[in-house]
Amino acid sequence: MKRWKQWGIALACVCLLSGCQKEVQEPKQEAPIQQKDHRVSLTFTGDLLFEQSLYDSWDGYAFGDYFDQLKPYLSGDLVIGNQEVPIAGEDLGVSGVAFSFNAPDIIASQLADVGFDVLTMANNHVYDRGYEGVCQTIENLEENQILPVGIYADEESADTICVIEKNGIRIALLAYTYDTNIPFEGEYPYVTKTFLNAAGQFDEAHQQMLKADVEAAQEQADAVIVAMHWGTEFTFALNQAQQSAAAYLNDLGVDLIIGNHPHCLQTMDRLVNQEGKETIVFYSLGNLVSAAAMVDRASVDFANLYEMGAIVNLDIVLDGETGKIRIENMEMIPYINHFDVNYEHFQLIPFKDYTEELAMMHCQRQYSYNFNKAWLQDRLYELFDRKVRLNF
């Protein structure tokens, strides 16, 4: 009995000692810190073509309520449009006719108030007021905190890649035109950049220029966006230069191409190169600002389409883990540039709010019964159905 008692005491001591000892724990493995994504929302518009009827209808060149219904959609962290005409001021002659354009100084401040942060200016009208017009346009935009892209007062500016850093993403912006209406003098070869030769061909020399620019942009930025002033006016058909240049830019690995110049909407596409890199292309966003009915250079149907354009809103996302760029939340907002038979009461009206009653009152309706909401909506489906989310 005594022996069992001794064994019991010994066992109790062992248990007591075991209970007093701390368990040896394996060191905790720290969970890897997940790098968060960075995101920038962008808004793109079509051509801002300030024509004479707008000036005639405005009091002192003031927009009035022209942009009011569309302004809620100009909502991105960066709002980018194509300024089709110089803003060189009254001293150089305001004009909205005869293919020789120039806007008054006040247009720049009003575009800033509407929400524009960037205006691409590589287009065929950039030299309509010569080198002085180029310099004055740059000055007017910069004074109003709008960044001009594709227009340059000196060679150093032309050789500098435009990079904007927003929300932790560096975005490079490049801009090119097929040509200019007025050739610039030999002493100013840098005022804008053309991507075609004198014969209208996308040749080796211009391909190498784009390649050098894109590679420099990729070294300095996370995303590369290219604005292209290209295509044939008043048609849905893409020309060879558009297709070749778009494919080449996709091969170079740009992220997004925004086209302008045809004065009507054209389709969009997702190009994928041999490395699997996707480039989203909007071939034309049509007009944002314009003021002409029954354009004499267009067929009746494309004169109708002169009055319809679109805004594109999308997000550029920089993946925190891979460092790669992707595009999300892409949406297209069509609208009608509305005005009556007297070329008055100009309004930019989202297509979802446009009615058949309004279409009947539009100046264009007197020239074409096809200018009606159903016909215009069918054209939107023809161009974009199942390609991009349409807001209407």
Side-chain angles (χ1 to χ4, degrees):
M1 188 69 178
K2 185 176 180 180
R3 182 179 297 172
W4 284 111
K5 187 176 181 180
Q6 290 174 337
W7 275 107
I9 292 170
L11 183 60
C13 289
V14 170
C15 291
L16 183 62
L17 289 170
S18 298
C20 291
Q21 292 179 347
K22 294 183 179 179
E23 291 185 17
V24 178
Q25 296 183 348
E26 293 291 327
K28 288 184 177 180
Q29 296 292 326
E30 293 291 336
I33 298 174
Q34 186 171 6
Q35 300 296 320
K36 69 175 184 177
D37 293 345
H38 295 276
R39 181 181 301 268
V40 175
S41 60
L42 300 179
T43 296
F44 297 93
T45 79
D47 296 350
L48 286 88
L49 177 57
F50 290 90
E51 296 183 284
Q52 194 64 43
S53 295
L54 280 169
Y55 297 145
D56 294 342
S57 71
W58 289 338
D59 183 10
Y61 302 127
F63 289 171
D65 60 359
Y66 183 49
F67 277 93
D68 286 4
Q69 295 185 53
L70 210 59
K71 194 171 179 180
Y73 300 98
L74 301 172
S75 56
D77 294 322
L78 290 174
V79 179
I80 303 168
N82 177 61
Q83 175 60 29
E84 182 81 0
V85 309
I87 308 176
E90 290 84 340
D91 289 347
L92 294 183
V94 172
S95 174
V97 295
F99 309 110
S100 179
F101 297 108
N102 181 40
D105 296 328
I106 194 175
I107 296 297
S109 61
Q110 291 184 96
L111 290 176
D113 290 341
V114 167
F116 283 96
D117 301 293
V118 179
L119 290 174
T120 60
M121 298 226 40
N123 61 63
N124 53 304
H125 291 290
V126 69
Y127 213 62
D128 279 5
R129 287 298 182 271
Y131 181 69
E132 186 178 355
V134 166
C135 295
Q136 191 59 49
T137 297
I138 293 170
E139 182 178 329
N140 280 335
L141 293 176
E142 290 181 343
E143 281 183 354
N144 289 282
Q145 289 74 56
I146 296 177
L147 180 64
V149 178
I151 182 173
Y152 312 106
D154 53 58
E155 192 169 357
E156 182 180 358
S157 299
D159 290 340
T160 302
I161 302 297
C162 173
V163 178
I164 301 172
E165 185 163 354
K166 194 80 172 178
N167 299 350
I169 303 180
R170 296 165 300 162
I171 300 171
L173 296 166
L174 305 173
Y176 305 90
T177 181
Y178 69 96
D179 202 357
T180 59
N181 287 6
I182 298 178
F184 34 85
E185 295 91 345
E187 61 198 289
Y188 306 122
Y190 44 73
V191 293
T192 196
K193 293 186 178 183
T194 59
F195 72 96
L196 301 180
N197 65 18
Q201 299 167 331
F202 185 47
D203 60 7
E204 177 70 21
H206 288 81
Q207 290 175 25
Q208 290 305 308
M209 178 195 67
L210 261 63
K211 184 174 187 290
D213 285 354
V214 169
E215 289 179 349
Q218 289 168 333
E219 289 178 2
Q220 300 174 45
D222 304 300
V224 179
I225 299 171
V226 183
M228 297 295 285
H229 205 73
W230 60 6
T232 305
E233 294 179 320
F234 314 117
T235 178
F236 288 159
L238 305 179
N239 66 26
Q240 184 60 50
Q242 282 175 291
Q243 295 177 71
S244 298
Y248 186 72
L249 289 167
N250 173 235
D251 286 341
L252 294 177
V254 309
D255 298 286
L256 182 64
I257 302 170
I258 302 294
N260 43 67
H261 176 63
H263 300 303
C264 63
L265 290 168
Q266 291 185 336
T267 194
M268 64 86 63
D269 206 351
R270 298 170 183 266
L271 305 179
V272 181
N273 65 21
Q274 291 184 345
E275 286 71 44
K277 172 62 181 179
E278 180 181 79
T279 302
I280 292 177
V281 188
F282 286 92
Y283 287 96
S284 174
L285 295 182
N287 293 331
L288 175 61
V289 172
S290 62
M294 202 50 206
V295 182
D296 57 9
R297 294 177 295 138
S299 68
V300 175
D301 283 350
F302 280 95
N304 293 338
L305 293 165
Y306 191 81
E307 314 301 347
M308 182 166 66
I311 289 169
V312 169
N313 283 319
L314 56 83
D315 291 347
I316 285 189
V317 182
L318 176 62
D319 190 292
E321 293 299 309
T322 67
K324 293 184 177 180
I325 288 291
R326 63 180 184 270
I327 294 176
E328 297 182 346
N329 301 325
M330 190 164 58
E331 180 180 57
M332 175 174 274
I333 302 98
Y335 51 80
I336 298 296
N337 184 40
H338 182 80
F339 52 98
D340 63 26
V341 294
N342 297 314
Y343 280 85
E344 293 178 344
H345 305 107
F346 285 88
Q347 286 277 316
L348 292 167
I349 303 176
F351 194 75
K352 70 180 185 63
D353 299 325
Y354 205 65
T355 64
E356 182 54 28
E357 290 72 24
L358 285 168
M360 289 176 66
M361 293 186 291
H362 196 292
C363 185
Q364 184 63 27
R365 182 63 167 261
Q366 66 184 316
Y367 303 106
S368 171
Y369 178 75
N370 270 357
F371 193 88
N372 61 70
K373 184 160 185 177
W375 185 87
L376 292 166
Q377 183 170 294
D378 285 346
R379 304 292 76 73
L380 289 170
Y381 283 130
E382 179 182 346
L383 290 170
F384 301 112
D385 190 29
R386 302 184 182 181
K387 292 185 176 184
V388 63
R389 184 168 69 246
L390 289 164
N391 182 336
F392 64 77

